[in-house]
Amino acid sequence: GGATLLSCIGYVYKEQAKQCAGGPKAFVANTRGFFHTVKETCKTAHAAASVQVAANRAEAQQKETGEISDETQAKMATQGMKAIFSFGLWEVENTCKTVCGQILHDKSLDKATKKQYLAALKEIGETYKKVGDAGKAAEKEEMKKALSASKMEAKRGKEKEKEAEGH
């Protein structure tokens, strides 16, 4: 969630600073930025397609059985939330790029001020990215713990059901 957003903004700031700095490193940063944009656009399109697939499955299930199972509804909701987040992240990234571009390509800036802006943007970007990545790792660990606890609880529930059937 929030850590991913912070990491994304940090990445954009850092890359925009590199791209506007000039020289061979700027060329590499521009190329990397192009492929990053293609990758993120594909991820967003994939998220949208996943929602459509889930909706089609739900529709087929409803035609076949007259209802949509809780599992199918949950999967559809999960895919929908992932798509919304992906679209939002894509939009934030593009907005940050636009704003950075407007600031860094401002013709009224003298060279010294632009250099200070680039340094500040790069530093802020590196900090956001570092903190965001650490937060993502912590979120991932929390998800693993929650999933493990959920699986254990489900297992205990099945054991209790079997026990109740046996008696």
Side-chain angles (χ1 to χ4, degrees), residues 60-146:
Q61 189 178 64
Q62 187 169 28
K63 284 181 182 178
E64 194 175 297
T65 65
E67 62 183 24
I68 302 171
S69 71
D70 290 344
E71 184 181 327
T72 301
Q73 288 179 18
K75 185 162 187 142
M76 206 164 62
T78 300
Q79 293 299 331
M81 293 302 290
K82 284 179 181 178
I84 289 167
F85 188 77
S86 184
F87 280 117
L89 201 57
W90 186 77
E91 184 62 31
V92 165
E93 189 169 311
N94 285 319
T95 300
C96 285
K97 286 178 185 177
T98 300
V99 172
C100 286
Q102 289 172 346
I103 293 168
L104 296 174
H105 292 98
D106 183 350
K107 301 291 183 198
S108 68
L109 291 179
D110 59 68
K111 234 179 185 177
T113 303
K114 183 176 178 178
K115 195 171 184 176
Q116 287 176 333
Y117 281 9
L118 287 171
L121 191 61
K122 185 177 180 213
E123 189 173 324
I124 291 169
E126 287 171 348
T127 302
Y128 281 13
K129 181 91 172 91
K130 183 178 176 182
V131 172
D133 288 348
K136 286 185 342 186
E139 286 175 354
K140 192 174 187 178
E141 196 58 39
E142 281 296 314
M143 282 294 262
K144 282 181 182 178
K145 287 179 185 176

